[in-house]
Amino acid sequence: MKTIDELLTEGVAGKRVFVRADLNVPLDGGTITDDGRIRAVLPTVKALADAGAKVVVASHLGRPKGAPDPAFSLAPAAARMGELLGTDVAFATDTVGDSARSTVAGLADGQVAVIENLRFNAGETAKDDAERGAFADRLAELADVYVGDGFGAVHRKHASVFDLPARLPHAAGHLIATEVGVLKKLTEDVKRPYVVALGGSKVSDKLAVIDQLLGKADRLLIGGGMVFTFLKAKGYEVGASLLQEDQIPVVLEYIERAEKSGVELVLPVDVVTSTEFPDLKTKAPGHPHTVAADAIPADQLGLDIGPETRKLYASKLADAATVFWNGPMGVFEHPDYAEGTKAVAQALLDSPAFTVVGGGDSAAAVRLLGFDENAFGHISTGGGASLEYLEGKTLPGLAALED
């Protein structure tokens, strides 16, 4: 896989360089609430611009239905990128139409443009190879070189991720090179004890990675909404908590496998519950109660790990040499149910281990709860991509960058 450093050595001055970034930032109306993904691609964009390239940045945002939708415009992301770079960033109001062509044609050496949301064109996400390829052909007309740096999208077989690199000379950007290097530390020659903390809402989203980790990790800490399927599998009452009953047989099998293979599978000893899900917009006070994990009242739903579990999980992280964390421990967006996630984040900071925060909600929680991002070993920009890499899957966007 050619790196951007090799590309820069060859020279990019005067060339149109297409950077597939991940600018899929959360928006509240037109306001960006977390610009972490924009910041993550800046080293690549700046390096290319400083080297005299005409930089064309492209990304998806949200899930529009293959047609323009103002609610998913990349205009706010383009404006924020300009603020962070300290320079004007041009914005094309379409993907491969007149605006994109004229915007790119108007770039001088060292200037940057962002084109509109790639998913405004149905060809970006098409299952049909020919339809995707046709869109990739039109994107290729905008550039001389391709740089893949949208790690959060490399597990998608999309036109700009998979098909476009085959049509242009290509290289991996700084972000992807960093992400892959970090993930190799979690899969090759891992320093032990290797502890993995998994949370999030649905256990079905994590089954494949748990399957792989049962043969690789020394200890698994389970939290979030997914934990109630584990507790139910052990015969506990979970009340009105999130539950995927159809996954109980698989979870039971994993519990048995963990015991046989010597992997320590750690579940909560207490949980924070309420009779209703909290209002995440107004942050109105909830009605939290702490109960034993095996005694959740029928009318209550679990929303966070409890104080004794926080201490337990912190102790299980304290002696780790490598830690991977993916998924919050509770409804971290509400202050009444954020303490579990906060405790795990703090335990990572207190640990001497190499710590990796696996993107998605975990990365958002780190920022929302006020932690210093630089204090962690690495914060990934791609939760889904990180998990699929750890599952051992071939990621289309990485395979496309191989020579």
Side-chain angles (χ1 to χ4, degrees):
M1 185 184 293
K2 179 187 284 187
T3 67
I4 188 173
D5 290 332
E6 296 172 82
L7 182 65
L8 292 170
T9 299
E10 294 171 2
V12 293
K15 293 182 180 179
R16 300 169 301 163
V17 181
F18 188 103
V19 177
R20 199 342 178 153
D22 179 10
L23 308 181
N24 187 27
V25 293
L27 294 172
D28 182 3
T31 303
I32 296 171
T33 57
D34 182 353
D35 65 2
R37 285 177 169 167
I38 300 175
R39 292 177 180 274
V41 78
L42 292 185
T44 290
V45 172
K46 192 171 187 309
L48 290 167
D50 289 347
K54 300 172 181 178
V55 187
V56 182
V57 181
S59 175
H60 71 285
L61 193 155
R63 297 180 182 273
K65 305 298 184 182
D69 182 340
F72 298 107
S73 175
L74 278 173
R80 182 59 179 151
M81 181 176 287
E83 292 172 0
L84 293 170
L85 288 172
T87 187
D88 290 335
V89 168
F91 180 66
T93 57
D94 57 28
T95 55
V96 290
D98 291 341
S99 179
R101 289 193 297 270
S102 62
T103 299
V104 173
L107 289 176
D109 294 358
Q111 290 188 328
V112 180
V114 173
I115 64 174
E116 186 56 283
N117 192 336
L118 292 164
R119 291 187 184 175
F120 285 1
N121 189 302
E124 169 68 1
T125 59
K127 302 293 186 186
D128 181 73
D129 291 349
E131 186 179 354
R132 262 197 346 270
F135 183 51
D137 286 339
R138 296 186 68 188
L139 289 172
E141 294 172 2
L142 300 175
D144 306 302
V145 180
Y146 177 95
V147 171
D149 215 29
F151 181 74
V154 293
H155 58 315
R156 306 295 187 193
K157 192 177 181 180
H158 291 169
S160 65
V161 176
F162 179 74
D163 302 272
L164 184 55
R167 288 157 168 77
L168 295 169
H170 50 265
H174 288 307
L175 176 60
I176 279 187
T178 298
E179 294 272 14
V180 171
V182 166
L183 288 170
K184 284 184 176 179
K185 291 183 180 180
L186 301 180
T187 54
E188 303 171 13
D189 192 27
V190 183
K191 292 183 178 179
R192 298 185 179 278
Y194 177 23
V195 183
V196 177
L198 293 176
S201 58
K202 294 182 179 179
V203 69
S204 56
D205 293 341
K206 302 291 196 306
L207 287 178
V209 76
I210 293 172
D211 182 50
Q212 287 293 316
L213 289 169
L214 284 174
K216 295 173 181 173
D218 299 299
R219 195 176 294 151
L220 291 176
L221 314 181
I222 308 295
M226 64 183 282
V227 80
F228 300 105
T229 303
F230 279 85
L231 296 177
K232 187 71 172 180
K234 289 180 71 69
Y236 297 168
E237 172 59 56
V238 298
S241 304
L242 184 63
L243 176 65
Q244 290 185 284
E245 290 209 46
D246 60 322
Q247 303 298 331
I248 288 176
V250 183
V251 168
L252 272 171
E253 179 196 335
Y254 286 176
I255 292 172
E256 292 170 4
R257 274 178 57 196
E259 291 176 358
K260 290 177 182 177
S261 61
V263 176
E264 188 179 1
L265 182 62
V266 189
L267 300 175
V269 295
D270 60 349
V271 295
V272 179
T273 67
S274 177
T275 55
E276 58 187 9
F277 197 84
D279 189 324
L280 301 184
K281 286 192 174 181
T282 65
K283 303 292 193 296
H287 304 283
H289 304 276
T290 299
V291 300
D294 61 353
I296 300 173
D299 66 339
Q300 302 271 317
L301 66 157
L303 297 169
D304 195 12
I305 57 174
E308 292 305 314
T309 303
R310 293 169 213 155
K311 295 175 189 175
L312 173 65
Y313 283 16
S315 72
K316 297 294 183 181
L317 290 163
D319 67 344
T322 304
V323 178
F324 175 71
W325 170 36
N326 179 276
M329 295 292 107
V331 185
F332 71 93
E333 300 93 339
H334 193 285
D336 287 344
Y337 311 103
E339 293 302 316
T341 302
K342 195 180 295 183
V344 168
Q346 186 61 53
L348 263 64
L349 293 184
D350 294 341
S351 169
F354 174 65
T355 57
V356 179
V357 180
D361 285 341
S362 309
V366 164
R367 289 187 276 267
L368 180 67
L369 298 175
F371 289 95
D372 179 5
E373 297 177 60
N374 297 320
F376 296 87
H378 178 71
I379 297 182
S380 178
T381 57
S386 296
L387 289 177
E388 291 198 15
Y389 190 101
L390 294 182
E391 289 166 21
K393 291 183 177 180
T394 298
L395 306 188
L398 297 184
L401 293 175
E402 299 288 351
D403 292 326

